Amino acid sequence: MKTEEIKPGIYWVGAIDWDVRNFHGYLTQRGTTYNAYLIIDEKVTLIDTVKPNFSDKLISRIKQIIDPSKIDYIVSNHVEMDHSGSIPEIMKYAPNATIITCPKGDTGLKAHFKEDWNFKIVKTGDSVSLGKRSLEFFLTPMVHWPDNMIAYMPEEKILFSNDSLGQHYASSARFDDECPLDIVMEEAKKYYANIVLPYGKQVQKELDAAATLDIKMIAPSHGVIWRSHIDKIIPLYQKWCQNEIEKKAVIVYDTMWKSTEIMANSVLEVFEEKGYKVSLRNLQHNHISDIMTELIDTEYICVGSPTLNSTMMPSVAGFLTYMSGLAPKGRKAISFGSYGWGGKTMAEINAFFEKSGFDIVASEKLKYIPGEEDLEIFKKTLSEAIN
Ligand code: FEO
């Protein structure tokens, strides 16, 4: 089992999860890694741990470098269990180690583990000497839990960014320049869309703090380490957290007897005629977490559903619930769908749009199977509603 020396005396000792495909509803089609970093200095320091069921991998990698009982500090940048879950295992080897965390991390770790370990509480601007090197801490609350923080090592110019700038991407390579860049960027975008999206303002504060630092390497807690493409990922984070949108439309729908699908294709035609980039996403064939990746820079979000048992299709309700939790802002929205009787589904879809603060520019339903004349009127209505 391989470790990787990312700088002299600083090692990646994490775990590669090749098989995970569901990360609380997020389709992790390329698996993920749980990155932990071991710093050999006067104070032997472990930055973050791994998911509990990968503890053996973490311990085994540490043992290749040093006896785990020699660990002095465990930096817990984030309480979520994919990073803190192996702290109890490490503490069995090093019961006198001190856990460095922020005030919310202290509360969270105690609530999770009910242990009276040694804690050192840090706040933004605090620096802890490890010997030849040091760590400076910046609290980054709600990127994406209240307890998040990041750590900067000025002597090596490394930012340990935890979840920020991560990707769910399992690879035997550790660095951004050892993997296909398009895949790394795609996974970084998907990660932002499905984890970080609700917290744009907080991300901006984190980027502002990072801009004051001389950074040559960014070591996140998932995916590859950035050393060659920092100049590409930081501007993308800036763009995403500033909610910059493009002339794009995403049409998301489900269908029973193809009537809503026929309407979805008409929506597609109207956007194409207006020069938009358009994606057509049938929820029977597309995962909601992949659709979210497309939504982070789209101007129009269009959602279609037939009426099933007096309500929308469960797949559409699931998508809308997921999307409204991730809270994309400042979008234009269109609802559409076929119905036989009743036809309250548009109001239900629109209620999600309203909750998200979207500007609803059109909401159209057609009875049973749309005829050519119905579709022409539908398209004309949409065409007039779209800028
Ligand atoms: Fe990778 Fe928020 O944990």
Side-chain angles (χ1 to χ4, degrees), residues 23 78 80 82-83 144-145 148 162-163 191 195 221-222:
F23 210 101
H78 181 23
E80 196 165 10
D82 49 338
H83 309 299
H144 64 128
W145 276 25
N148 283 96
N162 194 261
D163 275 340
Y191 192 93
I195 306 274
S221 57
H222 297 288

Side-chain angles (χ1 to χ4, degrees), residues 261-289:
E261 185 162 83
I262 289 167
M263 294 179 76
N265 277 289
S266 293
V267 180
L268 175 83
E269 282 175 33
V270 173
F271 276 106
E272 281 181 340
E273 280 164 14
K274 288 190 171 272
Y276 277 75
K277 286 188 217 163
V278 200
S279 300
L280 190 62
R281 299 301 177 207
N282 182 336
L283 285 161
Q284 293 173 25
H285 310 299
N286 292 275
H287 197 273
I288 54 175
S289 57

Side-chain angles (χ1 to χ4, degrees), residues 105-260:
D106 178 57
T107 307
L109 291 171
K110 286 174 178 163
H112 275 72
F113 300 112
K114 332 283 188 214
E115 294 280 359
D116 190 23
W117 294 320
N118 299 324
F119 287 94
K120 180 178 176 59
I121 312 298
V122 292
K123 57 186 188 314
T124 293
D126 286 354
S127 177
V128 174
S129 173
L130 311 183
K132 296 190 196 71
R133 290 161 290 197
S134 61
L135 290 171
E136 294 173 6
F137 297 95
F138 298 84
L139 273 53
T140 55
M142 298 317 299
V143 188
H144 64 128
W145 276 25
D147 49 77
N148 283 96
M149 67 177 189
I150 56 177
Y152 175 64
M153 180 180 279
E155 297 81 5
E156 301 288 356
K157 306 186 193 319
I158 305 175
L159 182 68
F160 296 96
S161 65
N162 194 261
D163 275 340
S164 293
L165 302 151
Q167 332 93 48
H168 282 316
Y169 179 37
S171 169
S172 59
R174 298 274 66 81
F175 291 101
D176 55 351
D177 49 29
E178 299 172 332
C179 300
L181 187 60
D182 55 339
I183 291 177
V184 174
M185 289 301 184
E186 181 185 319
E187 291 300 338
K189 185 177 183 184
K190 182 170 182 179
Y191 192 93
Y192 188 96
N194 287 276
I195 306 274
V196 188
L197 182 60
Y199 310 110
K201 281 186 186 155
Q202 293 88 338
V203 173
Q204 185 61 63
K205 282 186 193 165
E206 181 176 311
L207 293 175
D208 291 346
T212 65
L213 307 172
D214 183 8
I215 298 170
K216 298 291 185 223
M217 182 179 286
I218 297 174
S221 57
H222 297 288
V224 295
I225 298 165
W226 302 96
R227 68 177 176 191
S228 296
H229 300 294
I230 294 172
D231 62 338
K232 296 184 181 69
I233 188 63
I234 294 291
L236 281 173
Y237 256 61
Q238 283 283 5
K239 176 185 165 190
W240 299 330
C241 77
Q242 288 295 321
N243 198 30
E244 285 181 27
I245 54 174
E246 297 177 9
K247 192 171 178 180
K248 280 176 53 179
V250 179
I251 303 159
V252 186
Y253 72 99
D254 202 344
T255 194
M256 290 167 63
W257 294 104
K258 305 288 184 191
S259 294
T260 300

Side-chain angles (χ1 to χ4, degrees), residues 19-31:
D19 293 335
V20 64
R21 292 293 179 272
N22 182 341
F23 210 101
H24 357 281
Y26 174 156
L27 173 68
T28 47
Q29 69 267 47
R30 293 190 172 100

